[in-house]
Amino acid sequence: MSLERRISLSCPQCQIEREVTVWDSLNAQVSPHAKDELLRGNINMFRCSECSFGTSIAVGLMYHDMGLKFVAQYLPFQLIEDDDEATFRSFRSNGSLIMEFPRLIPAQEQASYMLHPHIVFRMSELVRYITYREKLALFHLTGST
Ligand SMILES: [Zn+2]
């Protein structure tokens, strides 16, 4: 499942307000175009068309690849530094994310790997983790022993 929403943000530099698309969840198979944009560093980025100021938007992003069977969760580190209670409540003391399957996902699609997302604290690290998993999958697929 992919989850995107439109929000209004004011440019920190010129104060002009504009609408941007924010992704909370991105499924590689459901939204391949958004996945390409993520790899190019264009997801959850604010770019002002007036003054060209650019910055990342500090929202978490869950990435799900159903083909390679992994989930990775980007968590803005600012939330940890700020002692954000809602964030702390969503993790166990061992560092694992408390996952709740949306009711929309049928039971047979609720694979156990989905319960153990890989946690990253930078969007660039999310991109690197995806690249790492894809290259490993390709390497092992193409017949090395
Ligand atoms: Zn601006």
Side-chain angles (χ1 to χ4, degrees):
M1 210 168 65
S2 289
L3 283 176
E4 59 183 302
R5 57 193 160 100
R6 302 281 291 171
I7 60 167
S8 253
L9 284 179
S10 297
C11 172
Q13 194 160 277
C14 72
Q15 322 307 326
I16 286 178
E17 196 172 277
R18 62 174 302 231
E19 279 222 319
V20 290
T21 299
V22 169
W23 292 78
D24 297 303
S25 170
L26 200 166
N27 184 307
Q29 282 73 33
V30 174
S31 312
H33 176 70
K35 179 204 161 180
D36 289 343
E37 291 299 304
L38 172 67
L39 296 182
R40 290 192 196 101
N42 294 331
I43 290 289
N44 293 349
M45 283 294 295
F46 175 87
R47 282 206 185 87
C48 181
S49 48
E50 293 298 317
C51 71
S52 76
F53 178 81
T55 186
S56 60
I57 302 166
V59 292
L61 176 67
M62 176 166 289
Y63 179 85
H64 185 187
D65 188 320
M66 298 185 294
L68 299 183
K69 295 187 172 25
F70 74 90
V71 176
Q73 172 73 45
Y74 162 64
L75 179 65
F77 197 66
Q78 194 63 44
L79 294 171
I80 304 302
E81 290 185 322
D82 291 348
D83 294 322
D84 183 69
E85 274 190 44
T87 301
F88 286 165
R89 256 197 297 276
S90 59
F91 288 86
R92 295 183 190 86
S93 60
N94 70 3
S96 65
L97 179 62
I98 300 168
M99 294 283 286
E100 281 177 35
F101 288 110
R103 282 159 201 250
L104 294 166
I105 299 181
Q108 65 269 25
E109 290 177 25
Q110 298 179 2
S112 64
Y113 74 87
M114 292 166 71
L115 292 170
H116 305 286
H118 178 77
I119 312 292
V120 297
F121 298 100
R122 280 184 182 276
M123 284 293 274
S124 58
E125 183 65 16
L126 178 61
V127 170
R128 285 180 169 184
Y129 187 73
I130 294 166
T131 306
Y132 160 73
R133 292 296 301 259
E134 289 183 347
K135 282 188 178 285
L136 278 179
L138 197 63
F139 176 82
H140 290 289
L141 186 74
T142 50
S144 60
T145 49

